Amino acid sequence: MEKKPFFSKAQIEEIVKTYPTPFHIYDEKGLRANAAAVKEAFAWNKGYKEFFAVKAEPNPFIMKLLKEYGVGSDCSSLTELMLAEKCGITGNDIMFSSNDTPVEDFEYAAKVGATINLDDFSHIAFLEKVLGKLPERLSLRYNPGGIVTISNGIMDNPGDAKYGMTKAQLFEAYKILKDKGVKEFGMHAFLVSNTVTNDYYPVLAKQLFELAVEIKNETGVSLNFINLSGGVGIAYKPEQTPNDIKVIGEGVHKVYDEILVPAGLGDVEIYTEMGRFMTGPYGMLVTKVIHEKKIYKDYIGVDACAVNLMRPAMYGAYHHITVLGKEDAPCDHKYDVTGSLCENNDKFAIDRMLPEIEIGDYIAIHDTGAHGFAMGYNYNGKLKSAELLLKEDGSVQLIRRKEEPKDYFSTLDCFPEFEGLTK
Ligand SMILES: *Cc1c(COP(=O)(O)O)cnc(C)c1O
């Protein structure tokens, strides 16, 4: 599929007069259409709910926008819980799917009434100790181990993943929860990340639905909800075919009718915790070319760096690049597109064929709406960028200001000589 930015060069030239590069910009129209499509795809299930994985894009504007489509929050830390609470998302609208969880986080999750999803068998006793008594509603995270293979060779290795509990632990855990008076039960599993296939959720659902029937038969526990978690991917590369959420929803519906309904589990609520699929394609990092360097290779130096988008440096991830205003020019130049960190992996693209680039060009880096800004850090004293929203009416709204040196120095307020720099 051809990858095009959701803005023009002329729009960016106008925006930079107020908000200089680099910045992440989000597409309100795209976010809304996608949230509506997700809701529609699972409308067959009465209790369906998407809990947006806040870690993907922890911005209150976007969380509230998604809330309009019935979307809650999937949190995994104290501050993510606080963020959801400030957005008016509380109680059963929060799924708390954490791991290696600190005491304070469990306490806060209970305080806001979140549904707690326990990552480990030992957390039953831990949580009971922290809260004095187990909540009436609890979910358990399952890890089937081994290797999963979906279609077109996509696979992952849950046997190597730190998350969840084994099947034997899961069964034992449901028995214990039942004995301890828990009334509502959930099950959660996350097996593969960024799956670009419509088969992942249906394959996972089949496995979890069969397990739910086994759990009912062996422990007498009827699950209230099954959480398919995240992992629905996006087409980062132009040659990939994007997932079709309607087909995915229908695939889950089919196995639901085949497995859960005949087993008397036809009122199980289906939950999802998508992050990447909800916001990924609707964000872009816009950066300006400030240098060109020719040594053994040709380097284009931009004013963004890996602190604004870590995925290429961290995972070697591909992010498509458009040179604004040169959309139709031939890609006959080979470049490494780099940031300014003193780290050789600070490259947004390596050996990428692009149109001839000049200093002053604006570059749009695609698909940064999830796990983009959110993974930012402050290495080399670099400051995080602003986040902007391109609204449906074409206007631009600041949804997070850029960091200033005072933000970077604010935690050094224990030193008197930094006083003037921290405010
Ligand atoms: C990261 C995460 C998600 C979201 O994953 P995506 O790949 O962005 O969909 C959902 N649930 C949990 C528990 C996670 O850790």
Side-chain angles (χ1 to χ4, degrees), residues 266-286:
D267 52 7
V268 170
E269 300 184 342
I270 300 300
Y271 297 165
T272 54
E273 288 175 345
M274 292 181 278
R276 197 184 312 271
F277 188 80
M278 299 306 288
T279 56
Y282 315 108
M284 288 205 168
L285 173 59
V286 179

Side-chain angles (χ1 to χ4, degrees), residues 159-173:
D160 251 0
K162 66 173 177 170
Y163 308 108
M165 48 190 99
T166 66
K167 186 171 172 184
Q169 289 173 331
L170 189 75
F171 279 66
E172 186 59 24

Side-chain angles (χ1 to χ4, degrees), residues 83-94:
L83 190 57
E85 191 185 19
K86 279 282 173 210
C87 294
I89 299 168
T90 56
N92 284 357
D93 291 343
I94 302 180

Side-chain angles (χ1 to χ4, degrees), residues 199-371:
D199 291 346
Y200 170 62
Y201 265 0
V203 166
L204 171 67
K206 181 169 188 287
Q207 196 177 341
L208 297 184
F209 294 170
E210 283 167 352
L211 194 59
V213 176
E214 250 187 89
I215 289 165
K216 188 183 174 204
N217 295 339
E218 263 193 48
T219 70
V221 165
S222 286
L223 294 180
N224 298 80
F225 62 88
I226 292 177
N227 185 345
L228 303 175
S229 192
V232 178
I234 59 172
Y236 285 102
K237 297 179 179 165
E239 65 268 25
Q240 288 176 310
T241 306
N243 287 335
D244 184 338
I245 198 66
K246 188 158 185 275
V247 173
I248 292 173
E250 278 164 9
V252 175
H253 191 184
K254 183 164 171 278
V255 283
Y256 189 99
D257 284 351
E258 280 167 10
I259 301 163
L260 288 183
V261 174
L265 288 166
D267 52 7
V268 170
E269 300 184 342
I270 300 300
Y271 297 165
T272 54
E273 288 175 345
M274 292 181 278
R276 197 184 312 271
F277 188 80
M278 299 306 288
T279 56
Y282 315 108
M284 288 205 168
L285 173 59
V286 179
T287 178
K288 189 175 175 174
V289 176
I290 55 174
H291 293 287
E292 178 172 13
K293 169 167 182 168
K294 296 183 180 187
I295 45 171
Y296 309 102
K297 293 178 89 172
D298 207 345
Y299 295 96
I300 293 297
V302 296
D303 62 3
C305 63
V307 307
N308 305 112
L309 177 66
M310 194 191 206
R311 298 186 70 260
M314 191 172 182
Y315 313 118
Y318 179 94
H319 279 264
H320 198 66
I321 285 178
T322 300
V323 184
L324 296 182
K326 298 184 176 174
E327 287 81 352
D328 299 321
C331 292
D332 53 4
H333 282 66
K334 192 194 268 186
Y335 295 115
D336 280 15
V337 179
T338 82
S340 56
L341 290 187
C342 303
E343 272 232 56
N344 197 39
N345 67 2
D346 182 16
K347 292 173 183 164
F348 292 115
I350 296 173
D351 295 334
R352 184 77 57 90
M353 295 309 294
L354 291 166
E356 183 169 16
I357 294 175
E358 285 142 283
I359 290 173
D361 278 348
Y362 291 105
I363 283 183
I365 303 178
H366 292 240
D367 301 312
T368 69
H371 313 299

Side-chain angles (χ1 to χ4, degrees), residues 42-261:
F42 288 92
W44 55 267
N45 182 258
K46 208 159 68 50
Y48 172 73
K49 194 165 184 77
E50 152 71 4
F51 296 86
F52 175 58
V54 168
K55 73 165 191 257
E57 169 49 1
N59 187 289
F61 186 94
I62 288 175
M63 290 162 68
K64 285 194 222 165
L65 180 151
L66 294 174
K67 185 169 174 254
E68 291 178 38
Y69 299 84
V71 173
S73 293
D74 163 35
C75 301
S76 61
S77 68
L78 176 69
T79 47
E80 285 182 358
L81 287 165
M82 295 167 84
L83 190 57
E85 191 185 19
K86 279 282 173 210
C87 294
I89 299 168
T90 56
N92 284 357
D93 291 343
I94 302 180
M95 186 62 62
F96 187 60
S97 288
S98 61
N99 70 94
D100 188 21
T101 315
V103 167
E104 313 78 81
D105 295 28
F106 272 142
E107 284 171 346
Y108 210 87
K111 189 187 133 212
V112 297
T115 301
I116 294 175
N117 180 34
L118 293 179
D119 179 68
D120 188 44
F121 185 78
S122 70
H123 289 187
I124 301 170
F126 187 87
L127 185 67
E128 193 175 26
K129 193 158 163 243
V130 169
L131 301 181
K133 181 173 177 292
L134 289 180
E136 290 201 344
R137 177 178 162 94
L138 268 179
S139 174
L140 301 175
R141 182 165 185 169
Y142 171 53
N143 179 337
I147 290 174
V148 238
T149 310
I150 322 289
S151 59
N152 57 35
I154 291 182
M155 55 177 187
D156 218 324
N157 195 350
D160 251 0
K162 66 173 177 170
Y163 308 108
M165 48 190 99
T166 66
K167 186 171 172 184
Q169 289 173 331
L170 189 75
F171 279 66
E172 186 59 24
Y174 283 119
K175 286 183 202 154
I176 292 171
L177 297 191
K178 196 174 148 214
D179 287 346
K180 289 189 178 286
V182 172
K183 302 216 164 53
E184 290 175 45
F185 304 85
M187 176 164 56
H188 169 284
F190 188 168
L191 308 188
V192 193
S193 250
N194 192 26
T195 56
V196 189
T197 159
N198 292 328
D199 291 346
Y200 170 62
Y201 265 0
V203 166
L204 171 67
K206 181 169 188 287
Q207 196 177 341
L208 297 184
F209 294 170
E210 283 167 352
L211 194 59
V213 176
E214 250 187 89
I215 289 165
K216 188 183 174 204
N217 295 339
E218 263 193 48
T219 70
V221 165
S222 286
L223 294 180
N224 298 80
F225 62 88
I226 292 177
N227 185 345
L228 303 175
S229 192
V232 178
I234 59 172
Y236 285 102
K237 297 179 179 165
E239 65 268 25
Q240 288 176 310
T241 306
N243 287 335
D244 184 338
I245 198 66
K246 188 158 185 275
V247 173
I248 292 173
E250 278 164 9
V252 175
H253 191 184
K254 183 164 171 278
V255 283
Y256 189 99
D257 284 351
E258 280 167 10
I259 301 163
L260 288 183
V261 174

